[in-house]
Amino acid sequence: MSFHKIELFGHVVYSPDLSYDDLLAREEEVKTLVQRVLEKAAGDFIHFEALGDTLRFQCLLPDEHDREFHAICDELAPHVKNGLDARLLLVDKDLDMLYFYSISGGEWQEAVIGLPPAGNLTRTRPVKLGKLPTDHPKPKKR
């Protein structure tokens, strides 16, 4: 039985300036590229979903390694330009980290968010429930 630590969600947006025929051709190219890149990264259960001017994809990855995530972006980036933009969200299934990647103009950017351990959620500052201000008129009874 295989173990998958990371769930990857991808989103490619096509420029509205692309003709329908150009969009279909680019979509096939993007699917082939993404499939190859994710298989190289040991991705499993790769799934694509076309929706209008976007292509969604997702897969499972076995390990959580920045270098592997960067390699995916490095391979995709040169092809994500001229009417394409892409975003990736990688979720650690233990909910320790979230990785965001934006790819545009042949370059990529990264944002990483570390989540607090579950036990610490109850030890953070309590949220006070707000009260209605007293200067608001009360509803009239009928």
Side-chain angles (χ1 to χ4, degrees):
M1 180 176 164
S2 64
F3 174 75
H4 299 95
K5 175 107 169 100
I6 298 292
E7 182 108 19
L8 178 147
F9 299 93
H11 188 234
V12 176
V13 179
Y14 303 101
S15 169
D17 296 336
L18 291 174
S19 71
Y20 182 72
D21 291 333
D22 288 341
L23 186 148
L24 291 178
R26 296 288 298 271
E27 186 171 81
E28 286 308 312
E29 292 171 9
V30 169
K31 282 183 180 179
T32 301
L33 170 68
V34 169
Q35 183 83 30
R36 181 180 52 78
V37 169
L38 295 179
E39 285 177 354
K40 185 176 177 183
D44 279 332
F45 307 108
I46 301 168
H47 173 73
F48 294 94
E49 181 180 300
L51 183 64
D53 290 346
T54 63
L55 175 67
R56 298 176 187 167
F57 57 92
Q58 66 187 80
C59 80
L60 299 174
L61 297 172
D63 295 313
E64 180 180 6
H65 295 293
D66 287 355
R67 71 179 180 279
E68 192 67 46
F69 303 160
H70 296 175
I72 290 170
C73 291
D74 286 340
E75 288 195 48
L76 292 177
H79 306 280
V80 180
K81 55 186 176 185
N82 302 326
L84 298 179
D85 287 312
R87 296 180 295 172
L88 303 176
L89 167 64
L90 292 93
V91 180
D92 168 6
K93 286 187 175 181
D94 291 328
L95 299 181
D96 292 326
M97 300 291 284
L98 297 174
Y99 301 84
F100 297 94
Y101 296 93
S102 175
I103 308 172
S104 184
E107 298 180 352
W108 60 270
Q109 296 179 348
E110 173 184 55
V112 178
I113 297 174
L115 301 174
N120 289 341
L121 292 177
T122 58
R123 292 186 209 116
T124 59
R125 286 193 342 237
V127 176
K128 294 182 181 179
L129 298 176
K131 295 181 180 179
L132 290 175
T134 56
D135 59 343
H136 282 247
K138 295 186 180 191
K140 294 181 182 179
K141 292 183 182 179
R142 292 186 175 191

